[in-house]
Amino acid sequence: MVDQRSIGVALLYLLLFMLLESTLEQQVQQRLSSRIEFTALFELRSSLGLRSRDWPRKVDPCTSWNGIRCENGSVTSINISGFRRTRVGKRNPQFAVDSLANFTRLVSFNASEFLLPGPIPDWFGQRLLTLQVLDLRSCNVSGVIPLSIGNLTNLTTLYLSDNRLTGQIPSTLGRLLSLLVLDLSKNSLTGSIPSSLVSLRNLTSLDISLNNLTGSIPPGVGSLLKLQILNLSSNRLTSSIPAQLGDLDSLVDLDLSSNGLSGSVPRDLRELRNLQTMDFGNNGLQGSLPVALFPSPSQLRIIVLRNNSFSGDLPEVLWSLPELNLLDISHNNFTGMLPNSTVNDNATAAVLNISQNKFYGGLTTVLRRFISTDLSGNYFEGRVPDYAHDNAFLSTNCLQSVSSQRTLTDCVSFYAERGLSFDNFGPPNSTEPPATESRRSNRRIIILAAVLGGAGLVVLLMLLLLVVLCFCKRSTRNHRGIDVGAVPARETSPSPVVEINFSSLGELFTYQQLLEATGDLNDANLIKHGHSGDLFKGILEGGVPVVVKRIDLQSIKKDAYLSELEFFSKVSHPRVVPLLGHCLEREHEKFLVYKYMPNGDLSSSLYRKKSSEDDSLQSLDWITRLKIATGAAESLSFLHHECTPPLVHRDVQASSILLDDKFEVRLGSLSEVVLQFFLCCMQVI
């Protein structure tokens, strides 16, 4: 009888042999066997300027290259998403992917967040017929979408968002019957939504937001029954919302905001029982909301109807939706009173914004369920309960003991139109508003006093300026100044050896690091030619913006830069631009690295014009100008009177001031500081 133990050992060896054979066979299959594809990968590596760290030489691409996947000896997937180019490749990035045509079994190409400036080649739709996933998000792609893309009938995912694509959406995209995801958002596409897209019956996500599309929403979109995400926001679509959208019973997110839609919201949308986000904000929709629009049970979490012309009462069911996180119906003509709700009125993370409507009456317990509320711009009256105080905006109402409310006349008139009486802000009711002339008179007195006080402050500052100028002249005669970044002209004997503590002068940079940060000291990054060196804007490897000063020792005195290093080794002040590091390894060139001041010089900030399209520093009010003058005085006082010996400021990077606890602005030469100080004061008037 055969020993059972021997049989078990034999079976174990057989199992290990089969596993080893399968592993070896899989490794053989994973290795790249096509010489054409091997050459094509290296051509792609060269044309895109990819680093050897990601795609190294002398190894098999299928087993060792990042983002490369192979099957049966052929490349099936290429993913260069987020890769970085070599320094040479960064100089002239292009949409140079011609070698992709040699991959006959390529299923996926993902280059998202990798710069590919230029148009999509037309041959994409003629040679890459096996492609299923094409991801070109945030690649800086330009031009039009090729008509030939419609030939890629195996595509399931097409991402072209966040680029510079122009022209119309090609109707040939309607041939991509296997498509599940179509994302063309954040481009400059024009024209109308092609009706051929209604043929994409397998589509689960359609996002063409943030373009310049016009026309109406095709009713046939309602036939895309598998659609879960529909985002047509931020275009110029007109007409009404098609009732056929109510057939999309799988829809989870519906965003039609920021268009020119008009008419009322169709009742048919009540069938969207899986809907979690409904955003119709910033349109021209009007009428009242159908009561049955929000059926129970409902999964709605976000409802945004702001900036429309809706009117009438708000359906009461909205106050008790169990999953609600945000309800924003601001800037409409809704009216009515808040319900006295006792269901689901515990505080949650929900946010409520019903500002700029016509709600009235008292504040009720329904507000308990919201962690933040904006009730401003309505006609609420009465006392404010304790639960409504925290994180609540209550201005421009008719509430008691709250600042910035409507006038008595306005409140009485509103309530009288509805046959109601106003509570007169708490005191006994009176239909006559108090005299307003005395208020106006008091207001004029306050304004006049403020103007005269400001003028007096200006005169005081001008006198202070004259005193400073006189003192500066006297100090110049009595003291020998040391110019930061230059050797004093009076010195005729050789300078003594300067002892500098380099450990206190920030980081030690290499010459190569600073070349990469400034683009090889490219003229495009040149800020200005300074007195003691050229200033370049740079970005360190960690993304930190800096200013790099290049000091050419062949054009200035060789030990001039030491004076500046000595200054920063001894001086530390909040008004002085920080020195972040230095590079002294080259014989004829020295480099100093400073913190970057993004807001330009003081003069450009003083005269900057206000623009609604510019989010940067705007024109300065007189309070800010006063802060500038104070900061300049502190900086100059420190350099001239607190340093031993006193220092005369000259270099553009040697001091800074703080504007309104937020913005920093560089100061120029001493004469410029004095002039701008004077202008700061004069501009107050």
Side-chain angles (χ1 to χ4, degrees):
M1 192 173 180
V2 182
D3 188 0
Q4 292 182 353
R5 183 176 180 182
S6 299
I7 295 175
V9 172
L11 289 175
L12 179 60
Y13 276 115
L14 179 62
L15 180 62
L16 289 175
F17 175 77
M18 293 175 61
L19 181 61
L20 179 61
E21 182 181 21
S22 174
T23 303
L24 290 174
E25 180 181 358
Q26 184 177 5
Q27 289 181 352
V28 171
Q29 290 179 349
Q30 289 298 326
R31 293 183 63 85
L32 186 59
S33 59
S34 172
R35 191 65 188 174
I36 295 176
E37 293 188 6
F38 184 85
T39 303
L41 278 176
F42 275 90
E43 289 176 355
L44 188 64
R45 179 184 184 271
S46 176
S47 64
L48 294 179
L50 300 182
R51 301 180 303 171
S52 58
R53 180 185 305 176
D54 296 314
W55 287 11
R57 295 179 179 274
K58 299 182 180 181
V59 295
D60 183 72
C62 289
T63 58
S64 303
W65 282 17
N66 293 333
I68 299 296
R69 297 291 179 270
C70 302
E71 290 184 10
N72 298 321
S74 293
V75 177
T76 58
S77 176
I78 299 177
N79 185 349
I80 59 173
S81 174
F83 278 21
R84 295 175 58 189
R85 297 179 187 264
T86 61
R87 186 159 57 92
V88 176
K90 291 178 182 178
R91 293 178 180 175
N92 187 28
Q94 295 179 357
F95 202 130
V97 293
D98 290 349
S99 54
L100 284 181
N102 295 307
F103 301 104
T104 57
R105 298 182 182 178
L106 190 64
V107 173
S108 174
F109 180 61
N110 183 354
S112 59
E113 298 183 3
F114 183 87
L115 290 183
L116 292 173
I120 301 173
D122 189 62
W123 57 261
F124 258 45
Q126 301 167 355
R127 302 292 297 274
L128 304 179
L129 298 180
T130 58
L131 208 59
Q132 296 179 16
V133 176
L134 179 58
D135 191 344
L136 299 178
R137 284 175 287 186
S138 306
C139 292
N140 203 28
V141 178
S142 58
V144 300
I145 302 175
L147 296 176
S148 63
I149 294 293
N151 297 329
L152 303 179
T153 53
N154 289 311
L155 271 183
T156 60
T157 304
L158 179 58
Y159 286 113
L160 299 178
S161 62
D162 197 13
N163 284 293
R164 295 186 294 118
L165 294 171
T166 56
Q168 299 186 1
I169 300 175
S171 60
T172 54
L173 295 185
R175 301 177 193 164
L176 307 179
L177 302 183
S178 300
L179 204 61
L180 301 176
V181 177
L182 177 59
D183 188 351
L184 307 178
S185 62
K186 299 180 183 178
N187 282 288
S188 299
L189 299 172
T190 56
S192 58
I193 302 174
S195 58
S196 61
L197 295 186
V198 303
S199 301
L200 307 178
R201 300 301 174 89
N202 291 308
L203 208 60
T204 60
S205 176
L206 175 60
D207 189 348
I208 51 179
S209 60
L210 289 158
N211 281 286
N212 296 312
L213 301 176
T214 56
S216 59
I217 302 174
V221 174
S223 63
L224 305 179
L225 300 182
K226 296 183 180 180
L227 209 58
Q228 298 178 17
I229 298 174
L230 178 60
N231 191 345
L232 309 180
S233 64
S234 299
N235 281 286
R236 292 186 290 164
L237 300 175
T238 54
S239 192
S240 58
I241 300 175
Q244 290 84 347
L245 297 186
D247 296 331
L248 301 176
D249 53 7
S250 298
L251 203 61
V252 175
D253 292 335
L254 175 60
D255 191 346
L256 306 179
S257 63
S258 300
N259 280 289
L261 300 176
S262 58
S264 59
V265 177
R267 296 175 179 270
D268 303 75
L269 299 188
R270 67 183 182 275
E271 301 299 331
L272 304 180
R273 297 184 179 274
N274 292 305
L275 200 63
Q276 296 181 13
T277 300
M278 175 190 289
D279 191 344
F280 297 157
N282 302 307
N283 278 289
L285 299 172
Q286 55 190 2
S288 59
L289 294 179
V291 176
L293 183 61
F294 308 99
S296 182
S298 174
Q299 300 185 41
L300 276 168
R301 298 174 180 228
I302 297 175
I303 301 175
V304 179
L305 306 174
R306 64 170 175 261
N307 287 325
N308 280 284
S309 298
F310 290 117
S311 58
D313 293 338
L314 198 66
E316 191 165 340
V317 67
L318 284 181
W319 301 104
S320 57
L321 293 177
E323 304 294 330
L324 191 64
N325 290 330
L326 170 64
L327 176 59
D328 186 350
I329 59 172
S330 59
H331 293 271
N332 280 285
N333 293 311
F334 287 114
T335 189
M337 304 175 69
L338 298 180
N340 283 306
S341 173
T342 56
V343 181
N344 293 327
D345 60 356
N346 292 324
T348 65
V351 175
L352 174 67
N353 188 348
I354 61 174
S355 62
Q356 307 304 320
N357 279 284
K358 296 180 179 178
F359 291 101
Y360 59 94
L363 303 182
T364 67
T365 56
V366 74
L367 299 179
R368 290 181 184 273
R369 69 164 304 191
F370 299 100
I371 196 171
S372 176
T373 57
D374 189 346
L375 313 179
S376 59
N378 285 285
Y379 291 87
F380 290 114
E381 67 172 353
R383 299 180 60 184
V384 179
D386 293 338
Y387 53 76
H389 271 298
D390 296 335
N391 298 319
F393 296 90
L394 304 171
S395 64
T396 323
N397 276 285
C398 303
L399 295 166
Q400 300 177 15
S401 304
V402 179
S403 61
S404 302
Q405 298 297 290
R406 297 181 183 274
T407 65
L408 178 60
T409 302
D410 194 3
C411 295
V412 169
S413 175
F414 177 86
Y415 278 86
E417 289 176 1
R418 287 154 180 77
L420 303 171
S421 60
F422 175 54
D423 67 358
N424 194 28
F425 296 107
N429 282 337
S430 171
T431 57
E432 295 296 328
T436 59
E437 288 301 322
S438 59
R439 293 183 181 179
R440 293 177 181 173
S441 178
N442 290 337
R443 186 180 303 173
R444 289 180 185 143
I445 293 174
I446 294 173
I447 293 174
L448 182 59
V451 171
L452 293 177
L457 181 61
V458 171
V459 173
L460 182 61
L461 288 173
M462 292 177 66
L463 292 175
L464 178 62
L465 175 62
L466 293 176
V467 172
V468 170
L469 289 174
C470 293
F471 186 82
C472 287
K473 290 181 179 179
R474 185 184 310 167
S475 177
T476 302
R477 296 190 188 100
N478 296 335
H479 298 278
R480 184 183 67 177
I482 296 179
D483 188 1
V484 177
V487 178
R490 294 183 183 180
E491 291 184 359
T492 57
S493 61
S495 300
V497 177
V498 179
E499 295 183 3
I500 298 175
N501 180 14
F502 285 92
S503 63
S504 65
L505 294 176
E507 186 176 349
L508 179 62
F509 294 97
T510 65
Y511 178 65
Q512 187 64 31
Q513 281 180 299
L514 299 186
L515 280 183
E516 292 182 2
T518 59
D520 293 336
L521 299 172
N522 196 306
D523 287 343
N525 292 324
L526 180 66
I527 297 175
K528 67 173 292 182
H529 296 288
H531 294 286
S532 57
D534 296 335
L535 300 175
F536 294 85
K537 179 182 178 182
I539 303 293
L540 296 180
E541 187 172 357
V544 179
V546 295
V547 170
V548 177
K549 177 190 282 189
R550 179 178 65 182
I551 302 173
D552 186 357
L553 298 185
Q554 294 177 336
S555 59
I556 67 171
K557 200 165 184 178
K558 286 195 173 183
D559 59 350
Y561 71 96
L562 294 176
S563 298
E564 199 158 347
L565 289 176
E566 182 187 17
F567 169 77
F568 282 102
S569 69
K570 297 179 179 179
V571 173
S572 176
H573 192 270
R575 301 296 183 186
V576 177
V577 176
L579 179 73
L580 303 182
H582 55 280
C583 171
L584 309 178
E585 64 185 51
R586 293 175 67 85
E587 181 179 358
H588 299 298
E589 282 185 314
K590 306 298 179 183
F591 297 87
L592 305 182
V593 182
Y594 298 92
K595 177 181 177 182
Y596 176 63
M597 296 299 172
N599 290 312
D601 56 20
L602 180 58
S603 177
S604 62
S605 297
L606 285 174
Y607 297 108
R608 189 169 299 173
K609 301 298 182 182
K610 186 174 182 180
S611 171
S612 59
E613 299 177 356
D614 184 7
D615 293 332
S616 62
L617 187 64
Q618 304 296 335
S619 57
L620 307 181
D621 55 81
W622 73 272
I623 292 295
T624 305
R625 293 175 186 274
L626 176 59
K627 292 181 179 180
I628 293 174
T630 304
E634 290 178 2
S635 180
L636 293 175
S637 176
F638 169 74
L639 292 174
H640 294 175
H641 306 295
E642 298 179 32
C643 293
T644 305
L647 301 175
V648 176
H649 166 71
R650 183 179 72 181
D651 196 277
V652 72
Q653 283 291 327
S655 68
S656 68
I657 57 176
L658 192 66
L659 297 187
D660 200 19
D661 299 325
K662 184 176 182 181
F663 299 104
E664 288 178 308
V665 175
R666 297 191 298 267
L667 295 180
S669 65
L670 179 60
S671 59
E672 180 189 338
V673 172
V674 175
L675 177 60
Q676 299 300 345
F677 186 96
F678 177 72
L679 289 175
C680 275
C681 301
M682 292 302 296
Q683 292 284 335
V684 173
I685 302 178

